[in-house]
Amino acid sequence: MDATVAVTSSIMGNFDPDIIRISVDLTGEAASKELAAAAYNEALSSLLDALEKMGVKRKGVKNGYLRISPVWKNRKGGGPHEYSSTVRFEEPCMKERLDAVWTAIAGLGGGISCCFDYDLKDNEEARETILRRAIDAGRKRAALLADAAGCDLGQIIHIDNSLQGNAAAGIVATAAPDKRRSIRMDASPVFNPEPVRVSCEVTLEYELIVRTQR
C-alpha cells in the first residue's frame, strides 16, 4: 500500500457586509375573508409606494406567500379573518439606505414588523477566498509531516471540504397590529454592521514519495 498523509485544515474569515437583506412582515385582521384580502392589498400597495418614494426599486421587491385564514377563535370559518405575508428586498449596506427604508416603514400604520441582516451579495467570492486559504494551510501542514517522514508530497488523491457562512444578525422592530400605530422614529436602528463570518474545513490526502538516498 502506498504511503499517504492526511491533514485537516480549518479557517475562518471575516468580511465586511455589502448589502442589507430586509424582511417586512404584513399582518392584519378584517371582518371577512374578502375584506382581509382587500386590507392586505391596501397594506402592500402602501408599503411599496412608501419604499419607492425612498428610492427602493419596486422590481427588486419580492412578495412572499400570502396566508388568509379564520382567526383562531373563529377557526370553523366565516366571520373575522387574518392575513400575513412577507416582503423581502436588498439594499446597499449604507446608513443612508437603512435610514430611508426605516423612514418609509415608520410612516405606515400598525401591522408591520421589520427585520434585517447584514450580508454579502456575492457569498461565492468570500467562500472561494477562505477555501484557498484552507487548502494552502493544509498543504503546508502536510509538507511538514512529509518532511518529518523523509518524504516529499506527491499528488492529492482525496480532497473534501465544508463551507459555512453566517449573516450578521440585524435588529427587529415591531408595530403592534392591535394598536394600529406607526413605528416610533426614535426607535430607529443604529447602523452598526458586524462582519460576516465565513468558515471552511478542508481534508486533504496526499501520496508520499520517498526521497532517493544520495
Side-chain angles (χ1 to χ4, degrees):
M1 180 177 177
D2 294 334
T4 65
V5 60
V7 294
T8 298
S9 176
S10 298
I11 298 291
M12 176 179 289
N14 293 325
F15 297 83
D16 292 332
D18 53 13
I19 60 170
I20 308 174
R21 298 189 190 275
I22 302 170
S23 297
V24 181
D25 293 330
L26 299 175
T27 59
E29 183 179 318
S32 67
K33 180 178 181 180
E34 293 74 18
L35 290 175
Y40 165 73
N41 288 333
E42 181 180 353
L44 177 61
S45 179
S46 296
L47 173 62
L48 294 177
D49 288 344
L51 290 174
E52 193 168 39
K53 289 179 181 178
M54 291 298 169
V56 178
K57 296 181 179 179
R58 188 168 296 211
K59 66 179 181 180
V61 179
K62 301 185 183 301
N63 185 24
Y65 174 74
L66 170 62
R67 180 177 181 270
I68 298 179
S69 60
V71 297
W72 185 86
K73 61 184 178 182
N74 190 43
R75 56 190 180 281
K76 292 183 179 180
H81 277 62
E82 57 189 1
Y83 66 82
S84 63
S85 185
T86 301
V87 173
R88 295 183 174 87
F89 57 98
E90 298 176 359
E91 283 291 298
C93 190
M94 301 166 56
K95 183 179 185 303
E96 294 79 5
R97 295 310 306 154
L98 180 59
D99 288 345
V101 170
W102 191 263
T103 298
I105 295 172
L108 301 174
I112 295 177
S113 63
C114 174
C115 65
F116 61 91
D117 296 310
Y118 299 108
D119 208 346
L120 302 171
K121 191 170 187 65
D122 185 1
N123 279 320
E124 290 305 313
E125 182 177 350
R127 290 177 178 224
E128 182 177 322
T129 298
I130 293 300
L131 179 58
R132 289 183 182 278
R133 292 179 188 173
I135 292 174
D136 289 344
R139 181 177 178 81
K140 289 178 181 178
R141 186 176 302 171
L144 287 174
L145 294 173
D147 186 64
C151 299
D152 293 320
L153 287 183
Q155 65 181 0
I156 294 178
I157 58 177
H158 179 74
I159 185 169
D160 192 16
N161 75 93
S162 173
L163 281 161
Q164 293 184 342
N166 301 305
I171 296 175
V172 178
T174 303
D178 57 336
K179 295 185 178 180
R180 310 305 297 175
R181 60 181 175 79
S182 298
I183 300 173
R184 292 171 49 199
M185 283 303 296
D186 59 5
S188 60
V190 176
F191 182 76
N192 186 26
E194 296 288 336
V196 177
R197 297 180 183 88
V198 179
S199 61
C200 178
E201 182 176 282
V202 173
T203 299
L204 304 166
E205 185 176 3
Y206 290 88
E207 66 174 350
L208 292 179
I209 301 174
V210 179
R211 291 173 185 157
T212 303
Q213 294 289 339
R214 294 182 179 178

